[in-house]
């Protein structure tokens, strides 16, 4: 299909491709390159950082610096990530400060993750913002609620996803099939999308676009450590283990140790606390300490055998989407 779709008009982008935030594995250069290629680049919570912020003020100040860098590198649309961990409608000090910085800097696009917090959504809407909402575990109920609260675009994530995957074990296609007829705003698909063949499997559902993580982190321009990129390229889906109820990793030494803790129902060790000790994905994926960290990617990594450029990923997926998938135009 030629021309702009409803989703690309909302986001003011050429291709219906949204780059997943991926917390540590984003920075201004990376995000601006996605946006310049025609997709929507997204700054993750720890974008451009090498250590965790000391408090909400520090986090907001660091985000401001990264936003200003992006604005110098692109005139195209980009977003920041806002993570909402639970179902409260309160706005935490952290979120309030991140939103204030974004509003000050003229950011218009927000990838909200987690519960569809009505007050957060309203704050964004009051400032003319666009909301791309991704529940950690998508259901018809939380998608409908997010739309009712003001989400402009929704993201349905399947169990193939890297990072924190949904509690259910439904494939991306199954999740999309459950939700797409129940909502009215554009629905993007996430989870296990590494090739045109993966996109083709979603064609009949008429999704509005793609929310992509793993393929972007193995690009040449990605801030992912070189050692982690090479590990992903030479690994297969069978090389992955669950390190907690919601995170899987390629079987590094640390991942195997965490898997053993997780699999032992009688273990006195809190596996989630152990993952926090290594700053989640940071040690393995940003610092490049493969033995001491975890490397989380989607389950379709068998198809990744080389590094592409960001432009190649955006254009390959985007051109295909524009040809055959944009039934929601």
């Amino acid at each position: 299909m030629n021309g702009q779709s409803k989703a690309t008009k909302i986001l003011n982008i050429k291709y219906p491709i949204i780059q997943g935030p991926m917390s540590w594995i984003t920075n201004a250069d990376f995000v601006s390159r996605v946006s310049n290629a025609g997709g929507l680049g997204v700054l993750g919570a720890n974008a451009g950082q090498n250590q965790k912020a000391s408090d909400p003020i520090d986090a907001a100040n660091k985000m401001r610096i990264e936003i200003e860098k992006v604005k110098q590198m692109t005139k195209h649309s980009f977003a920041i990530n806002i993570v909402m961990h639970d179902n409260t409608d309160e706005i935490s000090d952290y979120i309030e400060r991140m939103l204030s910085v974004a509003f000050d800097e003229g950011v218009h696009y927000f990838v909200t993750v987690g519960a569809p917090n009505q007050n957060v959504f309203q704050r964004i809407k009051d400032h003319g913002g666009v909301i791309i909402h991704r529940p950690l575990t998508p259901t018809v109920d939380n998608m409908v609620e997010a739309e009712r609260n003001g989400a402009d675009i929704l993201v349905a994530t399947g169990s193939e996803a890297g990072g924190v995957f949904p509690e259910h074990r439904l494939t991306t296609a199954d999740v999309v099939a459950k939700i797409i007829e129940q909502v009215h705003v554009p629905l993007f698909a996430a989870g296990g999308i590494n090739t045109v063949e993966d996109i083709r499997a979603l064609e009949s559902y008429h999704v509005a676009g793609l929310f992509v993580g793993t393929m972007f982190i193995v690009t040449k321009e990605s801030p992912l450590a070189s050692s982690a990129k090479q590990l992903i390229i030479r690994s297969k889906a069978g090389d992955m283990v669950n390190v907690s109820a919601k995170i899987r990793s390629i079987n590094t030494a640390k991942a195997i140790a965490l898997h053993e803790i997780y699999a032992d129902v009688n273990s006195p060790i809190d596996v989630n606390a152990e993952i926090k000790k290594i700053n989640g994905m940071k040690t393995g994926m940003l610092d490049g300490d493969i033995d001491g960290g975890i490397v989380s990617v989607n389950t379709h990594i068998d198809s990744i055998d080389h590094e592409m450029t960001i432009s190649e990923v955006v254009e390959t997926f985007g051109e295909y989407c524009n040809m055959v998938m944009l039934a929601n135009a």
Side-chain angles (χ1 to χ4, degrees):
M1 180 174 294
N2 295 321
Q4 280 194 305
S5 68
K6 181 178 180 181
T8 56
K9 287 179 182 176
I10 290 170
L11 299 174
N12 193 25
I13 56 179
K14 182 178 181 180
Y15 301 119
I17 307 295
I18 299 173
Q19 164 243 309
M22 302 176 291
S23 190
W24 294 101
I25 317 301
T26 60
N27 58 29
D29 178 72
F30 176 70
V31 167
S32 63
R33 287 176 184 271
V34 174
S35 293
N36 285 334
L40 184 74
V42 186
L43 290 169
N46 297 296
Q49 307 308 312
N50 288 304
Q51 60 183 23
K52 197 170 184 178
S54 57
D55 56 38
I57 295 174
D58 184 35
N61 288 338
K62 289 177 175 177
M63 181 58 73
R64 184 188 298 276
I65 291 170
E66 215 62 24
I67 290 171
E68 290 175 347
K69 289 179 183 177
V70 175
K71 288 163 63 177
Q72 293 298 314
M73 297 176 183
T74 185
K75 301 304 180 185
H76 297 285
S77 303
F78 71 94
I80 71 165
N81 185 212
I82 301 294
V83 180
M84 300 172 293
H85 291 288
D86 52 41
N87 287 311
T88 179
D89 276 336
E90 294 180 3
I91 302 181
S92 68
D93 185 38
Y94 172 83
I95 291 177
E96 180 59 49
R97 290 181 182 279
M98 295 294 268
L99 289 175
S100 294
V101 161
F103 300 149
D104 287 348
E105 295 294 331
V107 175
H108 296 294
Y109 303 95
F110 298 82
V111 174
T112 59
V113 176
N117 185 310
Q118 184 175 10
N119 290 327
V120 170
F121 280 25
Q122 191 59 53
R123 285 278 283 130
I124 294 172
K125 287 299 178 181
D126 288 345
H127 285 81
V130 171
I131 299 168
I132 302 112
H133 185 66
R134 185 174 74 91
L136 290 174
T137 298
T139 65
V140 170
D141 287 347
N142 62 30
M143 288 292 207
V144 169
E145 181 183 1
E147 181 179 13
R148 185 171 60 244
N149 288 351
D152 299 281
I153 287 174
L154 296 168
V155 181
T157 307
S159 60
E160 302 99 322
V164 178
F165 57 77
E167 292 180 1
H168 62 58
R169 295 297 180 265
L170 298 175
T171 67
T172 299
D174 288 340
V175 173
V176 167
K178 281 183 59 177
I179 293 168
I180 198 160
E181 297 298 332
Q182 309 303 319
V183 297
H184 304 91
V185 299
L187 183 70
F188 277 51
I193 301 168
N194 296 346
T195 66
V196 167
E197 285 68 31
D198 294 325
I199 305 172
R200 189 172 290 126
L202 300 168
E203 278 182 32
S204 63
Y205 301 107
H206 306 309
V207 295
L210 308 175
F211 190 93
V212 179
T214 297
M215 279 305 297
F216 278 123
I217 64 174
V218 291
T219 55
K220 293 178 180 178
E221 306 95 333
S222 163
L224 184 74
S226 177
S227 55
K229 288 182 188 178
Q230 293 309 308
L231 177 66
I232 295 169
I233 288 170
R234 66 175 182 264
S235 296
K236 304 297 181 185
D239 298 327
M240 303 178 78
V241 295
N242 284 8
V243 298
S244 74
K246 296 183 181 181
I247 300 174
R248 66 173 67 87
S249 169
I250 295 173
N251 53 3
T252 65
K254 187 64 176 180
I256 292 170
L258 291 169
H259 173 71
E260 290 174 352
I261 295 170
Y262 167 64
D264 182 1
V265 294
N266 297 313
S267 175
I269 303 172
D270 182 346
V271 73
N272 293 308
E274 294 300 304
I275 293 172
K276 283 185 178 181
K277 289 179 183 178
I278 57 171
N279 286 315
M281 316 294 177
K282 177 180 181 292
T283 298
M285 300 183 76
L286 184 66
D287 301 339
D289 180 0
I290 298 301
D291 289 338
I294 58 178
V295 177
S296 182
V297 288
N298 70 39
T299 59
H300 290 186
I301 59 170
D302 298 68
S303 59
I304 301 175
D305 57 9
H306 68 285
E307 293 179 43
M308 296 174 68
T309 66
I310 286 173
S311 290
E312 286 172 339
V313 172
V314 174
E315 292 172 10
T316 299
F317 288 2
E319 291 288 356
Y320 190 83
C321 287
N322 282 348
M323 283 193 298
V324 299
M325 291 179 64
L326 303 184
N328 291 345

